[in-house]
């Protein structure tokens, strides 16, 4: 059963640096690391993955675009991937990616009236727009839409003719958006259209989460948009953003047994704790 949202938080954004892959040169390892990031984001219902510019720590625009391609491929339903993504060097190892198994990735081709589906707009016709929703025939949306776009739809009629309307469910998790930014961490936050009202930084030098647990829990439950910031393999966020710009700076891996915590490990550790705080 898919988890249904019941708390006030509407948006969760993860900020990761384009230096995320700076230590990884093998193409399979690079793909797998990004795959873990996408899987953890979906597991804990993140709405946005923002890749910010961290060139001082080994990041590059090429790495940011590589991460974006892999993450968008993962978020795209399997029945649309071959049409949307040509075979490229970045995608040669996608067979090792973990599946998301989210509500917008149906494992069956069965469709019923009232179902929601991701669809690829194929062509505009006199009656509207023909859309591929992963069944044997194209569906008709009576609105004139831009072509070659992946959008969300609700099935209004299913039979000899399939009718759909643009719509997205608000009661289940519907995937994440991947955003690349050429700006530093602070500017990447401030340039978001939907501004976060709670910004949390993660750092091994910060107070441990248990020392301010109740305070963080109250703030998270009252927030509409939570942004969680993660550093790179060589520099933490404390070197990238002034602590006064943060609502909280926390250590979510207290008493760590290793010298460093990798970004993907910090993501899953932090989101696990956040998930518990939201559902207590």
């Amino acid at each position: 059963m898919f988890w249904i949202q019941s708390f006030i938080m509407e948006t969760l954004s993860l900020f990761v640096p384009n230096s995320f892959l700076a230590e990884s040169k093998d193409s399979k390892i690079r793909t797998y690391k990004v795959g873990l990031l996408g899987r953890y984001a979906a597991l804990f219902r993140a709405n946005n993955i923002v890749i910010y510019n961290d060139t001082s720590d080994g990041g590059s625009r090429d790495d940011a675009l590589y991460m974006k391609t892999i993450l968008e491929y993962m978020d795209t339903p399997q029945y649309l991937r071959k049409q949307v993504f040509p075979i490229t060097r970045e995608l040669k190892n996608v067979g090792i990616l973990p599946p998301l198994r989210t509500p917008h990735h149906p494992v069956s081709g069965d469709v019923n009236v009232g179902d929601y589906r991701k669809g690829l707009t194929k062509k505009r016709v006199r009656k509207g727009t023909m859309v591929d929703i992963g069944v044997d025939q194209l569906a008709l949306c009576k609105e004139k839409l831009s072509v070659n776009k992946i959008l969300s739809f609700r099935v209004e009629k299913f039979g000899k003719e399939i009718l759909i309307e643009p719509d997205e469910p608000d009661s289940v998790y519907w995937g994440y958006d991947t955003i690349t930014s050429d700006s530093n961490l602070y500017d990447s936050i401030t340039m978001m259209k939907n501004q976060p009202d709670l910004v949390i930084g993660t750092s091994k030098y910060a107070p441990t989460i248990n020392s301010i647990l109740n305070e963080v829990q109250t703030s998270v439950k009252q927030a509409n948009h939570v942004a969680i910031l993660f550093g790179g393999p060589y520099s933490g966020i404390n070197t990238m953003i002034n602590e006064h710009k943060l609502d909280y700076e926390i250590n979510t891996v207290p008493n760590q047994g290793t010298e460093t915590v990798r970004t993907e490990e910090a993501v899953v550790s932090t989101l696990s704790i956040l998930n518990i705080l939201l559902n207590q």
Side-chain angles (χ1 to χ4, degrees), residues 15-23 52-59 184-185 201-205 229-241 249 259-264 266:
F15 286 75
V16 295
N18 60 1
S19 61
F20 176 70
L21 296 173
E23 291 183 317
Y52 65 86
N53 189 358
D54 181 25
T55 53
S56 63
D57 205 16
N184 60 30
L185 176 56
T202 59
S203 171
K204 70 176 182 179
Y205 302 108
L229 320 182
F230 299 94
Y234 306 118
S235 301
I237 63 159
N238 55 309
T239 65
M240 305 178 196
I241 191 170
E249 187 176 12
E259 181 179 353
T260 59
V261 176
R262 294 175 177 174
T263 303
E264 64 270 25

Side-chain angles (χ1 to χ4, degrees), residues 108-146:
S108 168
D110 295 337
V111 177
N112 297 298
V113 173
D115 287 353
Y116 292 87
R117 303 277 290 195
K118 288 278 191 174
L120 175 65
T121 55
K122 299 289 290 184
K123 60 182 178 179
R124 296 177 70 167
V125 295
R126 181 175 57 83
K127 292 182 178 181
T129 308
M130 304 306 295
V131 183
D132 185 345
I133 61 170
V135 295
D136 292 337
Q137 67 187 86
L138 295 179
L140 173 66
C141 175
K142 293 185 177 180
E143 295 186 24
K144 299 282 189 178
L145 304 171
S146 298

